[in-house]
Amino acid sequence: MKLSLISSLLISFATLSGIAANTVAATAVSSLTPALTRTLTTVSERSGFITTGRYDEVIALCAEFEKNYPDAVRCLEFGRTPEGRPMLALVASRSGALSAAQAAQQGVPVTLIQGGIHAGEIDGKDAGFLALREALEDTNAKGALAKQVLLFVPVFNIDGHERFGRWNRPNQRGPEEMGWRTTAQNTNLNRDYVKADSVEMQAMLKLINDWDPLATIDLHVTDGAKFEHDISIQVEPVNSGNAGLRRSGKQFRDAVIADLAKQGSLPLPFYMSFEKEDDPMSGFVDTVPSPRFSHGYFALRNRFGMLVETHSWKEYATRVRITRNTVISVLNQVAVHGAEWRKLALAADLQAATLAGKDVPVSYQTTRKTTPLAFRGYAYTRTHSDISGALMTRYDESKPQIWNVTLRNEIVPQRSIVAPQAGYIVTAGYADILAQKLTQHGIVFRRLKSPVLKTPVESYRASKVDFSPQSFEGRQMLKLQGDWKTEVRDLPQGSLFVPVAQAKANLVIAMLEPSAPDALVNWGWFNNAFERKEYMEAYVAEDVAREQLAADPALRAEFNRRIATDPAFAKSASARLDFFARRHSSWDDRFNLYPVVRIATTPE
């Protein structure tokens, strides 16, 4: 019997029998072929899932898998981290497609399994190697690799992985040591998909553009309360995105959940975080993720994004087993349905290219409608703490308890926009930095070779601008209020034309519409446009005001009305002077003007 089958069967037997899974697994591995043990098993597996290996193990295993399976595996480097470490992926397939070009030419679905985006949550690395070996040996996910390409990234946040320590995850049971949540530059990669500030994300987007995965499976470990449920599976499109893909996304999610339930897990289809922090009786709320997150991002590319969250209070051996079961289920589902789903995804690409002039949701909200939920928790107490001065919840894991709570899971569009008839123009001053960002996402655009004069466009002028008081993910966030209004503008040579007639139209809209939650403008990419740089001295403004009042009785009436009806205006000397400065020819007409416009006709 082969190594992976022996170890997995013994781990399953141990789990079902109540025997320590780590003890049995370690015994099983130590009794097997030394060469195979050394080359194709992990430090974690050999330790009985007490520890996890360092990144040099990933480097070695990547090479060894290619060496042992030369007809089915390739080890590729797709980038370098800020600290100079290689970013590695394993390509595995029995379809004959071991390059991105071959996969595209043959129409083979690609499944991206991603571990360690938060490197302390490292179940995905060890589970992924175990599942990969079983799939290659055909002891699990039998025949699945003949019908897809598995693209396995064991660790995304590699520099964070090497920030190794015993207490990097204080709310998690095992392994003994693990990596850190963020990168060497303290970036949370699972907030970076749209803005793509990090070199790691830029490398990942290049990998995604090259391989075009049908499904991306992002493997995590959740924080939070203590309860019996051991994993959540969330997929988009389900509540957002293309209608055809929503049905298939639900089919995908529900099939994986069913597989896990058959293997003894207690999976749920929503993130298990209380509506009110630390209050179990507040229940749960399902949401649609914004595209800063992995499973929100891929829906905008008309592909499946799956967020897998094992429960942090389960022991490491248990979490690795459940994560491995998830990966195997995903491979099986893609093997059965991948060809059909790929056709639907390509059809969604064509549909996205026809969004011009149509209503497009850019954000979603959960209604107040509730459904009853019998949630498997533990007995708990909530008592006043003399340490924090607040109510503190303590759980008794020896006493399972049903929590009769509610789930809010009716999700509807919160805000929609009408897509422009032709597309967006990024004005020349911002063209270079935006061209780089659009390229990273694989978005189609072109530069204007000559100026376009006196053309009608929709311009967005902010009526209210709120800068965040502190930075978030290294950026000063921005909230705008305003509207698109038709104006006649000159469009300079070198400006970018970004058409909506493209497969990634939803992503274009999410990045360039100010009302979209993760639009680049909201991430602070254009903050200078909303900062006032030129002023009129007060004594000059006084003279200007008197001239304007003397020349325009209607203006005098408006000024007097504002004083009478707006107390804040009446008390503010600067606001009263600005009332006149804004009407002077020296006023900066670009102040609070978003340097992206919408256009109804394709420019020459």
Side-chain angles (χ1 to χ4, degrees):
M1 191 177 290
K2 293 186 178 181
L3 168 62
S4 62
L5 186 57
I6 292 174
S7 60
S8 61
L9 286 175
L10 286 172
I11 292 169
S12 299
F13 170 79
T15 303
L16 292 171
S17 305
I19 303 171
N22 48 25
T23 301
V24 177
T27 303
V29 171
S30 65
S31 66
L32 295 166
T33 306
L36 202 55
T37 299
R38 182 179 64 254
T39 60
L40 293 181
T41 63
T42 62
V43 167
S44 183
E45 192 173 357
R46 296 194 296 274
S47 75
F49 302 101
I50 298 294
T51 63
T52 192
R54 302 294 292 266
Y55 193 67
D56 57 359
E57 176 189 44
V58 173
I59 296 173
L61 282 171
C62 195
E64 287 296 335
F65 269 94
E66 181 174 336
K67 178 181 177 182
N68 280 273
Y69 300 97
D71 60 337
V73 177
R74 295 290 181 269
C75 176
L76 65 87
E77 178 177 338
F78 64 94
R80 287 269 163 169
T81 71
E83 292 185 341
R85 296 183 176 92
M87 300 181 71
L88 298 179
L90 291 93
V91 180
S93 185
R94 299 287 191 186
S95 69
L98 289 174
S99 70
Q102 289 172 333
Q105 184 178 16
Q106 296 178 31
V108 181
V110 177
T111 305
L112 170 58
I113 305 290
Q114 175 179 283
I117 190 172
H118 295 152
E121 307 166 21
I122 204 57
D123 308 14
K125 176 190 67 174
D126 292 319
F129 276 122
L130 179 57
L132 172 63
R133 193 178 70 229
E134 291 177 335
L136 286 165
E137 293 175 358
D138 223 23
T139 58
N140 238 320
K142 292 184 178 180
L145 291 182
K147 297 181 179 180
Q148 68 193 295
V149 175
L150 169 59
L151 191 60
F152 174 42
V153 176
V155 183
F156 185 4
N157 174 18
I158 298 161
D159 291 344
H161 184 278
E162 291 305 281
R163 189 178 168 183
F164 229 54
R166 285 185 175 270
W167 289 103
N168 286 349
R169 290 276 293 164
N171 309 308
Q172 178 176 296
R173 288 186 175 132
E176 286 185 347
E177 295 179 284
M178 71 285 289
W180 192 254
R181 181 177 181 83
T182 56
T183 70
Q185 297 173 336
N186 206 33
T187 297
N188 184 340
L189 291 176
N190 204 28
R191 306 294 184 273
D192 198 35
Y193 274 88
V194 169
K195 62 185 179 66
D197 283 333
S198 65
V199 296
E200 292 97 334
M201 185 58 72
Q202 291 166 14
M204 178 60 75
L205 290 177
K206 177 65 165 58
L207 185 74
I208 290 164
N209 290 335
D210 288 346
W211 286 89
D212 188 20
L214 172 68
T216 297
I217 317 302
D218 194 9
L219 303 174
H220 287 252
V221 182
T222 189
D223 289 323
K226 295 181 179 180
F227 41 72
E228 288 194 288
H229 295 279
D230 49 17
I231 189 169
S232 66
I233 303 292
Q234 292 174 272
V235 172
E236 291 297 338
V238 167
N239 296 304
S240 66
N242 177 271
L245 290 180
R246 288 191 192 198
R247 290 187 289 272
S248 297
K250 186 176 185 302
Q251 177 190 23
F252 187 17
R253 181 198 69 187
D254 292 350
V256 172
I257 285 176
D259 285 346
L260 292 172
K262 290 175 185 175
Q263 294 168 300
S265 281
L266 296 172
L268 285 173
F270 59 87
Y271 190 83
M272 290 177 273
S273 180
F274 303 138
E275 182 170 3
K276 295 179 182 177
E277 185 175 358
D278 203 37
D279 182 0
M281 287 299 101
S282 65
F284 302 90
V285 181
D286 197 7
T287 60
V288 167
S290 72
R292 70 184 64 177
F293 300 101
S294 61
H295 59 311
Y297 175 77
F298 286 100
L300 297 178
R301 296 178 69 118
N302 307 311
R303 303 295 183 265
F304 298 111
M306 176 183 288
L307 176 67
V308 177
E309 293 272 2
T310 56
H311 189 225
S312 62
W313 291 111
K314 302 299 184 282
E315 292 185 352
Y316 192 54
T318 300
R319 298 202 317 270
V320 170
R321 174 177 56 82
I322 295 168
T323 305
R324 171 276 218 160
N325 292 346
T326 304
V327 174
I328 293 297
S329 176
V330 165
L331 294 177
N332 284 330
Q333 296 305 322
V334 174
V336 173
H337 302 288
E340 173 194 355
W341 290 346
R342 186 173 182 274
K343 289 179 182 177
L344 290 172
L346 295 176
D349 288 348
L350 296 176
Q351 291 170 23
T354 67
L355 285 179
K358 297 178 181 177
D359 285 341
V360 179
V362 293
S363 63
Y364 294 81
Q365 62 185 350
T366 308
T367 71
R368 300 303 304 180
K369 182 180 178 181
T370 62
T371 56
L373 176 67
F375 189 87
R376 293 180 59 164
Y378 296 113
Y380 66 92
T381 59
R382 298 196 79 207
T383 56
H384 184 271
S385 168
D386 58 352
I387 301 296
S388 67
L391 280 176
M392 191 60 57
T393 305
R394 292 177 175 82
Y395 300 91
D396 185 348
E397 293 176 271
S398 69
K399 298 179 181 178
Q401 184 182 84
I402 297 296
W403 298 343
N404 290 304
V405 295
T406 58
L407 169 65
R408 291 169 48 208
N409 62 350
E410 182 181 63
I411 298 171
V412 297
Q414 179 184 36
R415 184 177 292 111
S416 297
I417 61 96
V418 176
Q421 290 291 345
Y424 298 87
I425 298 287
V426 181
T427 54
Y430 289 85
D432 285 347
I433 59 171
L434 261 293
Q436 182 182 37
K437 192 58 51 187
L438 296 170
T439 299
Q440 289 165 2
H441 288 280
I443 290 172
V444 175
F445 66 92
R446 63 176 172 84
R447 291 182 183 267
L448 301 186
K449 295 181 179 179
S450 58
V452 179
L453 304 179
K454 307 295 183 185
T455 189
V457 299
E458 291 179 271
S459 296
Y460 186 98
R461 293 182 182 271
S463 57
K464 185 177 181 182
V465 178
D466 289 322
F467 291 97
S468 61
Q470 66 182 48
S471 67
F472 175 66
E473 289 300 313
R475 287 190 168 272
Q476 186 181 26
M477 303 290 282
L478 190 64
K479 289 184 179 179
L480 301 177
Q481 292 181 21
D483 295 296
W484 294 103
K485 294 182 179 178
T486 301
E487 298 180 355
V488 174
R489 298 269 298 276
D490 293 339
L491 303 177
Q493 178 181 344
S495 298
L496 306 183
F497 171 58
V498 188
V500 292
Q502 61 175 297
K504 297 185 180 70
N506 284 297
L507 182 56
V508 169
I509 289 168
M511 293 174 68
L512 297 181
E513 280 289 337
S515 59
D518 282 331
L520 294 179
V521 66
N522 297 326
W523 277 106
W525 276 77
F526 303 97
N527 279 5
N528 265 351
F530 304 96
E531 298 172 3
R532 189 173 171 185
K533 305 293 187 177
E534 186 60 87
Y535 298 86
M536 183 180 290
E537 296 288 354
Y539 66 88
V540 175
E542 284 274 352
D543 292 342
V544 167
R546 296 185 190 284
E547 290 174 3
Q548 291 180 0
L549 288 172
D552 189 345
L555 182 63
R556 178 183 292 275
E558 172 64 13
F559 180 62
N560 290 337
R561 187 193 64 79
R562 285 287 303 276
I563 291 174
T565 61
D566 187 342
F569 176 81
K571 293 178 182 178
S572 173
S574 61
R576 289 168 67 152
L577 291 175
D578 270 357
F579 178 89
F580 300 100
R582 288 173 180 271
R583 290 161 170 80
H584 192 264
S585 60
S586 65
W587 182 258
D588 181 6
D589 66 354
R590 295 187 185 181
F591 176 51
N592 284 347
L593 177 64
Y594 179 38
V596 176
V597 301
R598 294 158 48 109
I599 191 166
T601 57
T602 301
E604 295 297 330

